[in-house]
Amino acid sequence: MGNRQFRTLFHRSDSNPILTAQAWPYPANSVFNAGAALVDRQTLLLVRVEDRRGISHLTVARSADGVGGWVIDPHPTFTPSPDTHPEEVWGIEDPRLTWLDERQCWAVAYTAYSPAGPLVSLACTKDFRTFTRLGPVMPPEDKDAALFPIRFDDRWAMLHRPVATAASTGVHIWVSFSPDLKHWGDHHVLIPSRLGGWWDARKIGLSAPPLETPDGWLILYHGVRRTAGGCLYRLGLALLDRDDPRRVLRRSDEWVFGPTEPYELNGDVPGVVFPCGWIRDGDEIRLYYGAADSCVGLATAKLSELLEFVKTSPAA
Ligand code: BMA
């Protein structure tokens, strides 16, 4: 008899959900889909906060151990600026954070919700107090973007997820390049969504930013399964070539993390786990994810186990 269990790579924190709207210092409908960074040896989450209008902004929460004792900014930290950036009139959402050593700043790739649809915007910050906008970098509809921390042959690279409305086989993760973070081109489909009954059929998108490892760039992405009971958001892994992020080396067939707990199955959007950030601490990975578009959960994994799993996944 073989092993009758699927392998568990990610382990939920006993403290879940670690951040909720009830614990927020000001009125919030929901707090979810947080970007993550290690800043001054503290874990910093840039949390998406949705108000009762339905408009989102981003607020910083800090913790010494990344699990509890969160100190949350008493007011919204990074807010939409529709007067100067009309594309943000319906809010800013789902930030992914990347440290750019060359510029000595954190890049924030976020979704600006414009009347023409969601699009990708970039901003930079050194202190998570003031943010300098680079403005919109991808037209609608496009979201789920993150920068790589380094240049490849002198060019910055970004993963993102455009949506083509014409008869298409689904929406895929793309990679694009830029000399200056402002002008983007040389667009390639990188990870296509699958078809039919697959867990990641027709709609996928990047989750946390690409993580550099000796084996290549570890990619965590979400796949959306449409069911009669609604959509299920689950996570899979892929590995990109370290020197050429246009090359997918491996891609997991099976999803590795999905909604099972009450706080993931009940909320504004049931059946969703949606990470926007992870933090590496030695061999430990701490994954921060939005649960049911309502609260923030934490799951941990061993990087060595994730790599072992993805390296034994099919060649892409
Ligand atoms: C996606 C994004 C996320 C959200 C998810 C589930 O399209 O809009 O912000 O968490 O849907 O509702």
Side-chain angles (χ1 to χ4, degrees):
M1 285 284 282
N3 187 346
R4 296 176 61 240
Q5 302 291 325
F6 289 109
R7 188 165 171 194
T8 301
L9 291 171
F10 287 95
H11 304 271
R12 287 173 178 80
S13 167
D14 293 337
S15 306
N16 274 357
I18 56 164
L19 290 170
T20 63
Q22 291 70 40
W24 219 244
Y26 57 89
N29 170 65
S30 47
V31 302
F32 54 118
N33 300 7
L38 260 189
V39 180
D40 299 333
R41 294 167 63 198
Q42 287 197 314
T43 297
L44 181 150
L45 298 185
L46 189 60
V47 184
R48 173 177 171 190
V49 181
E50 193 181 292
D51 63 25
R52 277 206 177 176
R53 296 172 304 165
I55 308 294
S56 292
H57 61 269
L58 309 176
T59 290
V60 165
R62 294 180 176 83
S63 157
D65 64 5
V67 182
W70 294 94
V71 178
I72 303 165
D73 280 2
H75 305 290
T77 311
F78 183 32
T79 56
S81 179
D83 292 342
T84 56
H85 286 81
E87 72 279 2
E88 298 182 1
V89 68
W90 289 340
I92 57 177
E93 306 178 348
D94 302 357
R96 274 83 168 183
L97 305 174
T98 303
W99 173 251
L100 305 183
D101 211 40
E102 183 187 313
R103 296 201 174 201
Q104 290 291 297
C105 76
W106 290 94
V108 188
Y110 60 97
T111 303
Y113 194 174
S114 87
L119 55 83
V120 177
S121 283
L122 288 181
C124 280
T125 183
K126 288 183 189 294
D127 56 9
F128 288 96
R129 288 188 180 84
T130 54
F131 295 79
T132 307
R133 283 175 169 80
L134 281 73
V137 291
M138 293 289 170
E141 181 174 339
D142 203 331
K143 54 165 72 170
D144 299 331
L147 292 180
F148 287 80
I150 56 167
R151 295 178 187 244
F152 301 88
D153 290 334
D154 241 23
R155 299 186 303 170
W156 299 103
M158 180 166 66
L159 302 179
H160 59 112
R161 203 283 309 280
V163 175
T165 45
S168 101
T169 52
V171 295
H172 319 302
I173 297 174
W174 291 60
V175 61
S176 300
F177 296 89
S178 169
D180 58 4
L181 296 177
K182 180 77 182 155
H183 305 91
W184 292 86
D186 198 9
H187 312 290
H188 302 266
V189 172
L190 183 71
I191 305 175
S193 59
R194 289 184 261 219
L195 291 168
W198 281 86
W199 68 272
D200 54 356
R202 301 196 70 82
K203 189 175 180 187
I204 64 170
L206 182 72
S207 290
L211 185 74
E212 190 171 11
T213 80
D215 296 305
W217 296 94
L218 186 63
I219 301 297
L220 181 73
Y221 72 96
H222 60 264
V224 185
R225 173 82 187 266
R226 292 189 192 124
T227 78
C231 287
L232 281 170
Y233 279 69
R234 295 183 289 216
L235 310 177
L237 295 168
L239 191 67
L240 308 183
D241 186 272
R242 205 173 162 179
D243 301 319
D244 182 359
R246 290 168 301 189
R247 283 189 60 211
V248 184
L249 305 176
R250 304 275 173 174
R251 178 178 181 179
S252 63
D253 273 347
E254 295 177 351
W255 53 269
V256 295
F257 191 70
T260 56
E261 303 305 300
Y263 53 90
E264 297 160 356
L265 298 170
N266 302 295
D268 277 2
V269 185
V272 176
V273 291
F274 199 94
C276 290
W278 51 8
I279 284 179
R280 178 182 175 180
D281 183 2
D283 194 38
E284 188 185 68
I285 296 285
R286 283 187 272 120
L287 178 69
Y288 294 93
Y289 63 97
D293 282 13
S294 293
C295 56
V296 178
L298 164 64
T300 57
K302 291 217 177 314
L303 178 58
S304 49
E305 291 186 10
L306 300 183
L307 287 172
E308 183 198 324
F309 175 83
V310 78
K311 279 163 45 184
T312 53
S313 295

mmCIF file of all heavy atoms in Angstrom, residues 32-33 48 93-94 96 111 118 141 143-144 161 203 222 224 231 233 268-274 276 290 292-293, ligand 1:
data_model
loop_
_atom_site.group_PDB
_atom_site.id
_atom_site.type_symbol
_atom_site.label_atom_id
_atom_site.label_comp_id
_atom_site.label_asym_id
_atom_site.label_seq_id
_atom_site.Cartn_x
_atom_site.Cartn_y
_atom_site.Cartn_z
ATOM 1 N N PHE A 32 -6.839 41.895 4.101
ATOM 2 C CA PHE A 32 -6.438 40.656 3.417
ATOM 3 C C PHE A 32 -5.317 40.962 2.426
ATOM 4 O O PHE A 32 -4.771 42.064 2.408
ATOM 5 C CB PHE A 32 -7.651 39.998 2.742
ATOM 6 C CG PHE A 32 -8.468 40.841 1.783
ATOM 7 C CD1 PHE A 32 -8.587 40.487 0.442
ATOM 8 C CD2 PHE A 32 -9.146 41.971 2.217
ATOM 9 C CE1 PHE A 32 -9.340 41.240 -0.441
ATOM 10 C CE2 PHE A 32 -9.909 42.741 1.332
ATOM 11 C CZ PHE A 32 -9.999 42.376 0.008
ATOM 12 N N ASN A 33 -4.907 39.980 1.633
ATOM 13 C CA ASN A 33 -3.968 40.117 0.503
ATOM 14 C C ASN A 33 -2.823 41.094 0.782
ATOM 15 O O ASN A 33 -2.709 42.145 0.143
ATOM 16 C CB ASN A 33 -4.742 40.525 -0.750
ATOM 17 C CG ASN A 33 -5.806 39.500 -1.133
ATOM 18 O OD1 ASN A 33 -6.055 38.552 -0.398
ATOM 19 N ND2 ASN A 33 -6.424 39.686 -2.272
ATOM 20 N N ARG A 48 -3.902 44.988 2.470
ATOM 21 C CA ARG A 48 -5.046 45.575 1.767
ATOM 22 C C ARG A 48 -6.217 45.699 2.744
ATOM 23 O O ARG A 48 -6.613 44.711 3.358
ATOM 24 C CB ARG A 48 -5.438 44.705 0.576
ATOM 25 C CG ARG A 48 -6.727 45.172 -0.076
ATOM 26 C CD ARG A 48 -7.038 44.338 -1.298
ATOM 27 N NE ARG A 48 -8.366 44.633 -1.808
ATOM 28 C CZ ARG A 48 -8.980 43.922 -2.753
ATOM 29 N NH1 ARG A 48 -8.354 42.878 -3.289
ATOM 30 N NH2 ARG A 48 -10.172 44.241 -3.158
ATOM 31 N N GLU A 93 -4.962 47.851 -4.552
ATOM 32 C CA GLU A 93 -5.173 46.494 -4.025
ATOM 33 C C GLU A 93 -3.925 45.627 -4.206
ATOM 34 O O GLU A 93 -3.096 45.878 -5.078
ATOM 35 C CB GLU A 93 -6.341 45.824 -4.788
ATOM 36 C CG GLU A 93 -7.621 46.653 -4.774
ATOM 37 C CD GLU A 93 -8.766 46.025 -5.570
ATOM 38 O OE1 GLU A 93 -8.514 45.060 -6.332
ATOM 39 O OE2 GLU A 93 -9.903 46.510 -5.428
ATOM 40 N N ASP A 94 -3.830 44.588 -3.409
ATOM 41 C CA ASP A 94 -2.972 43.426 -3.621
ATOM 42 C C ASP A 94 -1.501 43.769 -3.922
ATOM 43 O O ASP A 94 -0.963 43.427 -4.998
ATOM 44 C CB ASP A 94 -3.534 42.556 -4.765
ATOM 45 C CG ASP A 94 -4.959 42.090 -4.479
ATOM 46 O OD1 ASP A 94 -5.469 42.383 -3.393
ATOM 47 O OD2 ASP A 94 -5.570 41.467 -5.366
ATOM 48 N N ARG A 96 2.582 43.672 -4.009
ATOM 49 C CA ARG A 96 3.718 42.734 -3.905
ATOM 50 C C ARG A 96 4.983 43.579 -3.750
ATOM 51 O O ARG A 96 5.201 44.524 -4.518
ATOM 52 C CB ARG A 96 3.854 41.869 -5.162
ATOM 53 C CG ARG A 96 2.985 40.607 -5.158
ATOM 54 C CD ARG A 96 1.588 40.867 -5.605
ATOM 55 N NE ARG A 96 0.839 39.625 -5.862
ATOM 56 C CZ ARG A 96 -0.404 39.591 -6.315
ATOM 57 N NH1 ARG A 96 -1.067 40.719 -6.558
ATOM 58 N NH2 ARG A 96 -1.010 38.446 -6.528
ATOM 59 N N THR A 111 -2.370 46.744 -7.698
ATOM 60 C CA THR A 111 -3.468 46.871 -8.652
ATOM 61 C C THR A 111 -4.155 48.205 -8.410
ATOM 62 O O THR A 111 -4.590 48.484 -7.287
ATOM 63 C CB THR A 111 -4.489 45.729 -8.442
ATOM 64 O OG1 THR A 111 -3.808 44.476 -8.579
ATOM 65 C CG2 THR A 111 -5.610 45.812 -9.459
ATOM 66 N N PRO A 118 -8.983 46.921 -13.809
ATOM 67 C CA PRO A 118 -7.776 46.923 -12.980
ATOM 68 C C PRO A 118 -6.518 46.956 -13.836
ATOM 69 O O PRO A 118 -6.470 46.356 -14.918
ATOM 70 C CB PRO A 118 -7.873 45.609 -12.200
ATOM 71 C CG PRO A 118 -8.860 44.766 -12.910
ATOM 72 C CD PRO A 118 -9.712 45.652 -13.766
ATOM 73 N N GLU A 141 -6.902 45.064 -18.923
ATOM 74 C CA GLU A 141 -6.986 44.548 -17.590
ATOM 75 C C GLU A 141 -5.719 43.775 -17.296
ATOM 76 O O GLU A 141 -5.313 42.930 -18.089
ATOM 77 C CB GLU A 141 -8.221 43.640 -17.483
ATOM 78 C CG GLU A 141 -8.401 43.064 -16.083
ATOM 79 C CD GLU A 141 -9.710 42.278 -15.937
ATOM 80 O OE1 GLU A 141 -10.654 42.483 -16.723
ATOM 81 O OE2 GLU A 141 -9.745 41.440 -15.030
ATOM 82 N N LYS A 143 -3.218 42.505 -13.657
ATOM 83 C CA LYS A 143 -2.980 42.540 -12.204
ATOM 84 C C LYS A 143 -2.007 41.440 -11.816
ATOM 85 O O LYS A 143 -1.352 40.852 -12.669
ATOM 86 C CB LYS A 143 -4.293 42.465 -11.421
ATOM 87 C CG LYS A 143 -5.192 41.292 -11.779
ATOM 88 C CD LYS A 143 -6.300 41.046 -10.761
ATOM 89 C CE LYS A 143 -7.408 42.057 -10.739
ATOM 90 N NZ LYS A 143 -8.553 41.622 -9.900
ATOM 91 N N ASP A 144 -1.898 41.162 -10.523
ATOM 92 C CA ASP A 144 -1.021 40.087 -9.998
ATOM 93 C C ASP A 144 0.421 40.253 -10.480
ATOM 94 O O ASP A 144 1.029 39.325 -11.022
ATOM 95 C CB ASP A 144 -1.547 38.703 -10.416
ATOM 96 C CG ASP A 144 -2.939 38.431 -9.874
ATOM 97 O OD1 ASP A 144 -3.270 38.966 -8.807
ATOM 98 O OD2 ASP A 144 -3.697 37.686 -10.528
ATOM 99 N N ARG A 161 -0.286 39.569 -15.074
ATOM 100 C CA ARG A 161 -1.340 38.712 -15.582
ATOM 101 C C ARG A 161 -2.379 39.539 -16.365
ATOM 102 O O ARG A 161 -3.370 39.988 -15.811
ATOM 103 C CB ARG A 161 -1.988 37.980 -14.418
ATOM 104 C CG ARG A 161 -2.698 36.680 -14.726
ATOM 105 C CD ARG A 161 -4.058 36.839 -15.377
ATOM 106 N NE ARG A 161 -4.958 37.741 -14.682
ATOM 107 C CZ ARG A 161 -5.690 37.435 -13.597
ATOM 108 N NH1 ARG A 161 -5.679 36.229 -13.112
ATOM 109 N NH2 ARG A 161 -6.478 38.344 -13.042
ATOM 110 N N LYS A 203 -7.608 30.332 -15.605
ATOM 111 C CA LYS A 203 -7.256 31.568 -14.896
ATOM 112 C C LYS A 203 -6.206 31.287 -13.836
ATOM 113 O O LYS A 203 -6.460 30.540 -12.887
ATOM 114 C CB LYS A 203 -8.498 32.171 -14.258
ATOM 115 C CG LYS A 203 -8.274 33.558 -13.683
ATOM 116 C CD LYS A 203 -9.583 34.133 -13.175
ATOM 117 C CE LYS A 203 -9.368 35.524 -12.600
ATOM 118 N NZ LYS A 203 -10.594 36.035 -11.963
ATOM 119 N N HIS A 222 -1.449 31.304 -8.057
ATOM 120 C CA HIS A 222 -2.787 30.796 -7.748
ATOM 121 C C HIS A 222 -3.476 30.336 -9.022
ATOM 122 O O HIS A 222 -3.270 30.887 -10.102
ATOM 123 C CB HIS A 222 -3.634 31.834 -7.001
ATOM 124 C CG HIS A 222 -3.859 33.110 -7.734
ATOM 125 N ND1 HIS A 222 -3.072 34.242 -7.533
ATOM 126 C CD2 HIS A 222 -4.776 33.470 -8.664
ATOM 127 C CE1 HIS A 222 -3.505 35.212 -8.313
ATOM 128 N NE2 HIS A 222 -4.533 34.781 -9.011
ATOM 129 N N VAL A 224 -7.426 29.213 -10.415
ATOM 130 C CA VAL A 224 -8.834 29.396 -10.066
ATOM 131 C C VAL A 224 -9.645 28.291 -10.713
ATOM 132 O O VAL A 224 -9.610 28.114 -11.936
ATOM 133 C CB VAL A 224 -9.348 30.772 -10.547
ATOM 134 C CG1 VAL A 224 -10.778 30.990 -10.066
ATOM 135 C CG2 VAL A 224 -8.432 31.891 -10.051
ATOM 136 N N CYS A 231 -15.944 29.950 -7.039
ATOM 137 C CA CYS A 231 -14.547 29.754 -7.440
ATOM 138 C C CYS A 231 -13.711 29.250 -6.278
ATOM 139 O O CYS A 231 -13.925 29.634 -5.130
ATOM 140 C CB CYS A 231 -13.962 31.079 -7.928
ATOM 141 S SG CYS A 231 -14.585 31.557 -9.543
ATOM 142 N N TYR A 233 -9.770 29.168 -5.067
ATOM 143 C CA TYR A 233 -8.424 29.694 -5.311
ATOM 144 C C TYR A 233 -7.418 28.817 -4.577
ATOM 145 O O TYR A 233 -7.420 28.768 -3.349
ATOM 146 C CB TYR A 233 -8.305 31.135 -4.809
ATOM 147 C CG TYR A 233 -8.854 32.162 -5.761
ATOM 148 C CD1 TYR A 233 -10.212 32.247 -6.010
ATOM 149 C CD2 TYR A 233 -8.003 33.058 -6.417
ATOM 150 C CE1 TYR A 233 -10.723 33.192 -6.887
ATOM 151 C CE2 TYR A 233 -8.508 34.006 -7.296
ATOM 152 C CZ TYR A 233 -9.858 34.076 -7.525
ATOM 153 O OH TYR A 233 -10.360 35.009 -8.386
ATOM 154 N N ASP A 268 -16.131 37.228 2.823
ATOM 155 C CA ASP A 268 -16.714 37.967 1.695
ATOM 156 C C ASP A 268 -16.665 37.153 0.404
ATOM 157 O O ASP A 268 -17.576 37.215 -0.420
ATOM 158 C CB ASP A 268 -15.988 39.310 1.506
ATOM 159 C CG ASP A 268 -16.538 40.374 2.439
ATOM 160 O OD1 ASP A 268 -17.443 40.039 3.238
ATOM 161 O OD2 ASP A 268 -16.073 41.525 2.370
ATOM 162 N N VAL A 269 -15.560 36.433 0.192
ATOM 163 C CA VAL A 269 -15.453 35.554 -0.987
ATOM 164 C C VAL A 269 -14.984 34.175 -0.500
ATOM 165 O O VAL A 269 -13.792 33.944 -0.282
ATOM 166 C CB VAL A 269 -14.472 36.123 -2.039
ATOM 167 C CG1 VAL A 269 -14.487 35.247 -3.287
ATOM 168 C CG2 VAL A 269 -14.834 37.559 -2.403
ATOM 169 N N PRO A 270 -15.909 33.250 -0.298
ATOM 170 C CA PRO A 270 -15.545 31.942 0.273
ATOM 171 C C PRO A 270 -14.628 31.138 -0.649
ATOM 172 O O PRO A 270 -14.712 31.242 -1.879
ATOM 173 C CB PRO A 270 -16.902 31.231 0.403
ATOM 174 C CG PRO A 270 -17.940 32.278 0.272
ATOM 175 C CD PRO A 270 -17.341 33.391 -0.547
ATOM 176 N N GLY A 271 -13.760 30.348 -0.042
ATOM 177 C CA GLY A 271 -12.945 29.414 -0.821
ATOM 178 C C GLY A 271 -11.726 30.041 -1.459
ATOM 179 O O GLY A 271 -11.285 29.603 -2.529
ATOM 180 N N VAL A 272 -11.152 31.060 -0.775
ATOM 181 C CA VAL A 272 -9.996 31.761 -1.352
ATOM 182 C C VAL A 272 -8.818 31.747 -0.389
ATOM 183 O O VAL A 272 -8.952 32.128 0.775
ATOM 184 C CB VAL A 272 -10.351 33.239 -1.679
ATOM 185 C CG1 VAL A 272 -9.117 33.988 -2.178
ATOM 186 C CG2 VAL A 272 -11.479 33.322 -2.697
ATOM 187 N N VAL A 273 -7.657 31.284 -0.860
ATOM 188 C CA VAL A 273 -6.378 31.631 -0.222
ATOM 189 C C VAL A 273 -5.598 32.426 -1.263
ATOM 190 O O VAL A 273 -5.474 32.005 -2.413
ATOM 191 C CB VAL A 273 -5.586 30.395 0.265
ATOM 192 C CG1 VAL A 273 -6.298 29.730 1.437
ATOM 193 C CG2 VAL A 273 -5.351 29.380 -0.848
ATOM 194 N N PHE A 274 -5.116 33.605 -0.870
ATOM 195 C CA PHE A 274 -4.553 34.537 -1.853
ATOM 196 C C PHE A 274 -3.330 35.235 -1.255
ATOM 197 O O PHE A 274 -3.414 36.321 -0.698
ATOM 198 C CB PHE A 274 -5.629 35.565 -2.245
ATOM 199 C CG PHE A 274 -5.345 36.282 -3.540
ATOM 200 C CD1 PHE A 274 -5.879 35.824 -4.733
ATOM 201 C CD2 PHE A 274 -4.554 37.430 -3.562
ATOM 202 C CE1 PHE A 274 -5.616 36.482 -5.933
ATOM 203 C CE2 PHE A 274 -4.288 38.089 -4.769
ATOM 204 C CZ PHE A 274 -4.833 37.619 -5.940
ATOM 205 N N CYS A 276 0.110 37.391 -1.156
ATOM 206 C CA CYS A 276 0.839 38.406 -1.937
ATOM 207 C C CYS A 276 2.266 38.539 -1.440
ATOM 208 O O CYS A 276 3.027 39.347 -1.971
ATOM 209 C CB CYS A 276 0.132 39.759 -1.851
ATOM 210 S SG CYS A 276 -1.438 39.797 -2.733
ATOM 211 N N GLY A 290 -4.262 36.215 2.075
ATOM 212 C CA GLY A 290 -5.624 36.652 2.321
ATOM 213 C C GLY A 290 -6.505 35.415 2.353
ATOM 214 O O GLY A 290 -6.350 34.497 1.533
ATOM 215 N N ALA A 292 -10.409 34.127 2.242
ATOM 216 C CA ALA A 292 -11.811 34.453 1.936
ATOM 217 C C ALA A 292 -12.032 35.960 1.773
ATOM 218 O O ALA A 292 -13.109 36.472 2.089
ATOM 219 C CB ALA A 292 -12.743 33.886 3.009
ATOM 220 N N ASP A 293 -11.019 36.672 1.286
ATOM 221 C CA ASP A 293 -11.098 38.132 1.101
ATOM 222 C C ASP A 293 -11.563 38.833 2.368
ATOM 223 O O ASP A 293 -12.245 39.871 2.303
ATOM 224 C CB ASP A 293 -12.026 38.493 -0.077
ATOM 225 C CG ASP A 293 -11.355 38.304 -1.431
ATOM 226 O OD1 ASP A 293 -10.275 37.672 -1.473
ATOM 227 O OD2 ASP A 293 -11.911 38.771 -2.440
HETATM 228 C C1 BMA B 1 -8.829 38.207 -7.544
HETATM 229 C C2 BMA B 1 -8.311 39.483 -6.912
HETATM 230 C C3 BMA B 1 -8.061 39.328 -5.440
HETATM 231 C C4 BMA B 1 -9.133 38.559 -4.718
HETATM 232 C C5 BMA B 1 -9.508 37.313 -5.490
HETATM 233 C C6 BMA B 1 -10.630 36.525 -4.853
HETATM 234 O O1 BMA B 1 -9.251 38.431 -8.839
HETATM 235 O O2 BMA B 1 -9.258 40.495 -7.126
HETATM 236 O O3 BMA B 1 -7.939 40.606 -4.870
HETATM 237 O O4 BMA B 1 -8.647 38.200 -3.446
HETATM 238 O O5 BMA B 1 -9.879 37.664 -6.804
HETATM 239 O O6 BMA B 1 -11.797 37.298 -4.743
#
